Amino acid sequence: MCSSRPTTPTVTGPSHARKKSLTNCSATSTPRSCTRSPAATPSSCSTSRSTDMSAAAAGFEAATLLVVHHSPGTALPAMVDAALAGSRSDGLERLRVTVVSALEVTSADVLGAAGYLLATPANLGYMSGALKDAFDTTYNDALNATRGRPYGVLVHGESDTEGALLGIRKIVAGLAWRAVAEPVSVIGSVEGRLDDCRELGAVVAASTLGY
């Protein structure tokens, strides 16, 4: 059973309507899932959740990188795809990558991961309501239990991303997660920044594995 909705640290920004009420965050729940090939991406998976099981299939003791994204449009999906490509770099074969829509993520997902990659558009000077919902849903369970785990951030905006980045920083500071790279923040076209996204994905993946 879920606990009552947790309270995340106070942040400044417009309120966002909840797009979905997540009422089952039991570790035994089984969300819709699909298995992707190493080349698959959030847009190529037919549901809101996918897991690269190549590490487990190869017999590795895999660590899990949880990618939590709200990726409307085309710019942010391209950034996420590039980061996922980076997470599959040589030497990272022991990594299991689970990609989950921000509106579908559960406490079990967060607790079961060794590292995190967060991807959001900047909406009206703040992170997306979907990513804020993900934090609200999982914060109390993750508090203390995930201290020191590595994370990275991808943000895309049309005019400004600072508010979104500030909101994320305040929440992860409360969780005591560890930033392992500068956020990749893009305004407008993502052309010319995809290599940065790939590098971020590789760094977060390596840190998730303890390198």
Side-chain angles (χ1 to χ4, degrees), residues 18-73:
R18 300 272 180 218
K19 294 186 179 180
K20 183 172 181 179
S21 176
L22 300 181
T23 59
N24 187 352
C25 61
S26 168
T28 59
S29 63
T30 306
R32 293 180 303 159
S33 64
C34 67
T35 300
R36 65 179 176 89
S37 67
T41 65
S43 58
S44 66
C45 186
S46 61
T47 71
S48 57
R49 174 182 295 264
S50 67
T51 301
D52 181 351
M53 297 299 293
S54 57
F60 293 115
E61 183 179 348
T64 297
L65 171 63
L66 179 64
V67 180
V68 181
H69 70 99
H70 180 61
S71 305

Side-chain angles (χ1 to χ4, degrees), residues 104-136:
E104 299 291 337
V105 72
T106 67
S107 291
D109 293 322
V110 176
L111 294 173
Y116 311 97
L117 180 62
L118 311 172
T120 180
N123 291 338
L124 301 176
Y126 197 59
M127 75 183 84
S128 69
L131 183 60
K132 181 58 165 58
D133 186 88
F135 280 127
D136 285 345

Side-chain angles (χ1 to χ4, degrees), residues 81-103:
D81 290 352
L84 290 175
S87 74
R88 296 189 293 269
S89 300
D90 291 344
L92 302 177
E93 291 82 6
R94 291 190 297 112
L95 188 72
R96 177 189 292 113
V97 181
T98 297
V99 183
V100 187
S101 165
L103 286 172

Side-chain angles (χ1 to χ4, degrees), residues 107 110-111 116 138-147 175 177:
S107 291
V110 176
L111 294 173
Y116 311 97
T138 64
Y139 187 88
N140 276 0
D141 291 331
L143 190 63
N144 298 322
T146 59
R147 293 178 64 87
L175 292 168
W177 290 358

